[in-house]
Amino acid sequence: MKRLVLLGAGHAHMVALQHFARHPLPDTELVVITPSSWQYYSGMIPGWVAGHYRLDQCRVPVEPMVTAAGGQLVLDRADGLKAKEQVITLASGKRLTYDFLSIDVGSASNSVPGCPGAEAAMVGVKPIERFAETWQQASSSLDTRQGPCVAVLGGGAGGAELAMAIARWLEGQGGAYVVLVAGGKGAVPDFRPRFRRLAHRALVRSGVEVIEDYGEPLANGVHLGRGGDIRADVVLVSTGAKALPFLANSDLATDEAGFVSVDACHRSTSHPNVFAAGDACARVDRRLDRSGVHAVRAGPILARNLAAAVCDEPLKRFYPRRFSLYLLASGDQTAIGSYGPLTFSGAWVWRWKDRIDRGFVDSFPEVEQVAGGGH
């Protein structure tokens, strides 16, 4: 019997588990390794921060999906990987061998140089499960302060969305203040001009101050690159993604940033029995944004390719759509959308995003329903 290990319970792996529940893998031992009992849906986390959702509405229990797929769940974190020996070393010290491996472990927040003591005030937005825990602690502390200030480092879509969500959550607290240290290119620099203008208006409407400069965390705030300090009780770091450290010495081929290099079938370019998806990988044939949209859509193809690899059958390529739908929540139950050359905004866009997000979470039913093939 062959052993297939799914390392991580990211979006693509959760979709793959749905597939395996309906189409069991023949003569295969399935093992899923993840540090959390929950898979947090990143698209709803800003809504949770803003107070629009409860945390339990933004996550999916992993164990029922693993059980339905006939697998074994191991609650642990990968500490090392040797692809040549086909061995994973876990944080607990246990070692697990595999015949086939799929990696969907997400990423960590890009490290930002900081002064001594800065770590105590810093909150990284990745991994999501860790952010969910640390933000609850940080928000409890902010509740007790007079005129609390939160600084968000990173002007990408994630940083802008969280800044507006926090501003919404802080509404009504006298003197509360949110600042987005967006970097030299300003907020949401990778989007079209109209999207950027709408995002800037939404930030201003939310009361978020945008500073087009780079920041370095301090023990009590942020030091700006062009000089001057900002006092902040909490510093959120949303400066992009970095590969998890265990991939560096894994023997797997990686790109310059340390993410697993994969082909169009999401198979490792160096080890044909290893696959990767989501934030953990980098396509060699094309640039693919680290987006939950791509991870979810890659899930069914990943599942079919893992089944094909186990059975020594041909693989299928994953073709991302030409345009991707991006929806950025503005904190006030409005949203801004982008699809190729089109840009749109309003309360209706928020309702559309809410329906999509809830639909994804609700697509993972209880174990009995999954095993029975129903939705």
Side-chain angles (χ1 to χ4, degrees):
M1 179 175 286
K2 298 173 183 177
R3 176 182 287 169
L4 167 63
V5 173
L6 303 188
L7 186 55
H11 297 354
H13 276 179
M14 292 297 285
V15 173
L17 286 171
Q18 283 183 317
H19 179 87
F20 295 150
R22 295 179 172 88
H23 308 281
L25 293 164
D27 299 320
T28 303
E29 178 190 2
L30 176 64
V31 179
V32 180
I33 302 171
T34 180
S36 175
S37 301
W38 304 94
Q39 196 272 339
Y40 291 84
Y41 182 51
S42 56
M44 295 179 75
I45 293 299
W48 165 64
V49 171
H52 303 315
Y53 304 118
R54 302 185 311 274
L55 186 58
D56 64 276
Q57 293 177 295
C58 309
R59 63 190 187 185
V60 176
V62 177
E63 188 170 13
M65 297 305 303
V66 176
T67 301
Q72 173 193 353
L73 177 62
V74 177
L75 291 176
D76 211 332
R77 189 184 304 274
D79 197 40
L81 168 63
K82 290 298 180 184
K84 289 179 181 178
E85 289 83 11
Q86 299 180 187
V87 175
I88 304 164
T89 302
L90 303 179
S92 63
K94 294 180 180 178
R95 289 161 59 88
L96 190 67
T97 61
Y98 62 84
D99 297 297
F100 294 91
L101 171 66
S102 183
I103 302 170
D104 186 15
V105 292
S107 58
S109 292
N110 229 339
S111 53
V112 178
C115 296
E119 294 82 1
M122 287 170 55
V123 176
V125 301
K126 294 184 177 184
I128 292 291
E129 66 269 13
R130 191 175 301 166
F131 171 72
E133 179 181 343
T134 53
W135 175 248
Q136 288 181 91
Q137 298 168 354
S139 59
S140 295
S141 173
L142 291 169
D143 267 337
T144 65
R145 297 177 183 269
Q146 290 293 322
C149 176
V150 177
V152 180
L153 296 185
E161 199 170 33
L162 279 171
M164 291 186 281
I166 294 167
R168 176 72 174 190
W169 174 71
L170 286 172
E171 272 186 354
Q173 293 197 39
Y177 184 63
V178 179
V179 57
L180 176 65
V181 183
K185 295 181 180 179
V188 292
D190 297 330
F191 288 83
R192 291 174 179 268
R194 174 168 163 74
F195 188 100
R196 296 193 67 189
R197 288 195 298 271
L198 290 171
H200 182 75
R201 291 176 195 167
L203 286 160
V204 170
R205 188 171 69 245
S206 298
V208 176
E209 180 183 2
V210 179
I211 298 178
E212 295 187 359
D213 197 0
Y214 296 95
E216 178 181 286
L218 302 171
N220 59 350
V222 176
H223 177 70
L224 298 176
R226 290 195 285 265
D229 296 340
I230 300 170
R231 181 200 67 81
D233 301 295
V234 173
V235 178
L236 240 68
V237 180
S238 181
T239 50
K242 70 175 181 180
L244 295 189
F246 78 88
L247 294 172
N249 300 310
S250 65
D251 304 323
L252 295 171
T254 62
D255 70 356
E256 65 279 359
F259 297 99
V260 180
S261 295
V262 297
D263 61 18
C265 302
H266 279 259
R267 179 171 54 181
S268 165
T269 57
S270 61
H271 292 74
N273 65 330
V274 177
F275 294 74
D279 277 9
C281 76
R283 287 271 290 260
V284 297
D285 62 317
R286 64 186 299 161
R287 183 180 180 274
L288 201 61
D289 292 337
R290 290 189 165 82
S291 162
V293 173
H294 294 309
V296 169
R297 289 182 179 153
I301 297 295
L302 177 67
R304 292 186 182 95
N305 282 343
L306 290 172
V310 168
C311 298
D312 198 23
E313 295 176 353
L315 306 182
K316 292 185 177 180
R317 297 166 63 93
F318 169 57
Y319 295 98
R321 295 181 181 177
R322 182 184 177 192
F323 298 130
S324 293
L325 176 65
Y326 291 98
L327 299 173
L328 183 124
S330 304
D332 57 356
Q333 294 187 310
T334 66
I336 306 163
S338 170
Y339 185 77
L342 303 177
T343 300
F344 35 87
S345 65
W348 70 270
V349 183
W350 158 263
R351 291 192 295 271
W352 186 21
K353 174 175 167 40
D354 176 63
R355 186 164 64 249
I356 292 171
D357 291 345
R358 289 178 186 267
F360 176 77
V361 172
D362 291 344
S363 72
F364 297 93
E366 295 300 322
V367 58
E368 294 85 359
Q369 292 176 291
V370 176
H375 284 273

